[in-house]
Amino acid sequence: MRGLILGVMLLGLSGCTSLGYLHQAWEGQREVMRLAVPIEDILDDPGADPALQRRLALALEARQFASARMALPDNLSYTRYSALPRPFVLWNLFVTPELSVDAIEQCYPWLGCVGYRGYFAQADAEAAASQWRARGKQVYIGGVPAYSTLGWYDDPVLSSMLHWSDEELVGLIFHELTHQHFFVRDDTAFNESYATFVEQQGLREWRKLKGWPEPTETERKQHQAFVQLMLAAREDLQRIYAQPLAAEALRRQRDQRFARLRTDYAEWRDQHWAGSARFDHWFAGELNNASLLPFGLYDQWVPAFAALFAEASDDWSAFHARVAEVGRLTTEERLRVLRKHQ
């Protein structure tokens, strides 16, 4: 799960936002910032863990690369480190209606509407999920290693980011800085696809510079096939729910499609991936509408942004400027441009 854009412009949250959610968000952000210490201090400390120093030195190098080579913001973000007392910084709650794959969005005055809500304690996310279930909605909760405050704070490197590989750590920094660079209200798919493309392209350039190996063809094809399986299921469910049928008939077709998704995945894994368990965790729990939401949000427009990057002759500054132009269009005009380049 890639980073969350946190609606932490707390003093301006709308009246419909509960005081409980406001309090946990404020306290959670305060804790993250209170724990942050300069990475340079850790690197200069002879008593610090050498393994931690190596990872943080890598994070600083990626941070400098992002600004110098990728035209991303040059500020104090990711120059400090927060050691958290938990495996994830946030737990991300996605909610959909029972018979729809469209997110029930959460809205904030400046941030606009996003397709998820973040909680700093897993128990709070579970409690909120239970309330939505009681109202007949479908929910999915995923741990989040990083998030962006869109430049309102100097976001630190988090211990939750260090559970991932070196390449994933570098990619997260690229991804989250992209959210600081440009953000469109009320368009989660645009924002996340933009950041995902920048992450992927940035990593391609980083690997070339550092001599890191490219992902194996097997890994690349596995990821593409997995995403396509999930997106195909989501598209089929959209068609199913659009039918003028009784709710019970729609539920039967929905359940059959999810059963087929499990079968399709098992066949791909065993016949084409030599039984690799790389994505098994997605199928360990309940499959529902909400569990498919991250794929539509994070991957939908990545090919379109790749085409825009090529049109900019692989020039990062020109690319970011073009993205900003597209982002400032009306929703209908923006979708027209993205579909043209998809």
Side-chain angles (χ1 to χ4, degrees):
M1 181 69 59
R2 284 298 185 235
L4 170 74
I5 299 170
L6 180 67
V8 83
M9 297 71 162
L10 295 172
L11 297 180
L13 287 177
S14 61
C16 63
T17 301
S18 71
L19 289 177
Y21 181 76
L22 172 62
H23 178 75
Q24 70 86 33
W26 174 248
E27 290 298 329
Q29 181 64 26
R30 284 184 62 195
E31 178 196 34
V32 167
M33 302 310 296
R34 177 179 58 81
L35 294 173
V37 298
I39 290 177
E40 291 289 358
D41 289 356
I42 299 174
L43 298 183
D44 292 339
D45 182 359
D49 178 5
L52 175 62
Q53 288 177 318
R54 185 191 71 79
R55 301 299 305 283
L56 294 181
L58 173 66
L60 274 188
E61 190 176 3
R63 175 69 190 78
Q64 293 159 0
F65 179 91
S67 297
R69 297 287 294 272
M70 299 170 62
L72 290 174
D74 187 4
N75 54 34
L76 292 178
S77 290
Y78 308 109
T79 64
R80 295 187 296 168
Y81 173 67
S82 292
L84 304 173
R86 54 187 182 274
F88 296 105
V89 63
L90 291 166
W91 281 263
N92 208 10
L93 173 62
F94 295 87
V95 184
T96 67
E98 182 194 7
L99 299 174
S100 173
V101 288
D102 294 330
I104 294 176
E105 295 185 319
Q106 310 297 322
C107 299
Y108 309 91
W110 296 300
L111 183 66
C113 297
V114 296
Y116 41 65
R117 176 172 279 188
Y119 293 84
F120 284 90
Q122 186 175 9
D124 290 340
E126 295 287 357
S130 294
Q131 293 175 359
W132 282 109
R133 287 193 194 96
R135 295 165 60 183
K137 310 304 181 184
Q138 297 200 336
V139 300
Y140 169 73
I141 296 173
V144 177
Y147 64 88
S148 174
T149 59
L150 304 182
W152 282 65
Y153 294 89
D154 294 321
D155 298 323
V157 175
L158 305 169
S159 55
S160 50
M161 298 166 66
L162 302 187
H163 298 316
W164 292 29
S165 69
D166 284 354
E167 182 165 305
E168 289 167 319
L169 171 61
V170 170
L172 272 173
I173 290 172
F174 296 164
H175 187 108
E176 301 307 334
L177 281 172
T178 304
H179 287 316
Q180 290 190 19
H181 185 71
F182 185 72
F183 177 82
V184 178
R185 281 177 56 95
D186 301 326
D187 199 335
T188 303
F190 180 96
N191 295 318
E192 293 298 351
S193 296
Y194 171 41
T196 297
F197 169 75
V198 172
E199 172 188 345
Q200 293 174 354
Q201 180 61 29
L203 279 171
R204 281 188 281 268
E205 297 183 15
W206 173 271
R207 292 189 203 103
K208 184 176 181 180
L209 176 70
K210 305 299 290 185
W212 285 14
E214 293 287 332
T216 67
E217 188 68 7
T218 297
E219 290 174 338
R220 186 184 67 81
K221 287 185 176 180
Q222 281 182 355
H223 181 265
Q224 287 181 340
F226 173 66
V227 170
Q228 286 306 310
L229 280 174
M230 305 301 271
L231 289 177
R234 190 169 185 268
E235 291 169 2
D236 287 347
L237 286 165
Q238 283 179 318
R239 288 191 288 270
I240 288 170
Y241 296 143
Q243 298 176 104
L245 299 176
E248 191 55 40
L250 296 178
R251 292 187 188 102
R252 283 195 299 270
Q253 291 189 38
R254 175 198 64 195
D255 295 345
Q256 290 169 358
R257 187 60 184 88
F258 277 119
R260 197 179 104 207
L261 175 58
R262 288 188 183 276
T263 301
D264 290 347
Y265 170 71
E267 289 178 354
W268 271 101
R269 180 195 61 200
D270 298 339
Q271 295 178 17
H272 300 281
W273 304 345
S276 169
R278 182 179 173 192
F279 300 107
D280 281 6
H281 64 282
W282 280 100
F283 295 86
E286 178 189 7
L287 284 179
N288 61 29
N289 300 326
S291 66
L292 298 179
L293 280 177
F295 298 93
L297 296 175
Y298 287 78
D299 301 287
Q300 182 175 355
W301 299 118
V302 169
F305 285 107
L308 291 172
F309 188 73
E311 285 184 359
S313 301
D314 297 358
D315 179 278
W316 280 106
S317 294
F319 166 69
H320 291 309
R322 177 62 175 138
V323 169
E325 289 178 3
V326 175
R328 285 191 285 267
L329 297 173
T330 66
T331 300
E332 294 75 15
E333 292 170 334
R334 185 163 61 246
L335 286 174
R336 191 177 307 118
V337 171
L338 293 173
R339 287 169 181 149
K340 176 184 176 182
H341 289 81
Q342 192 74 331

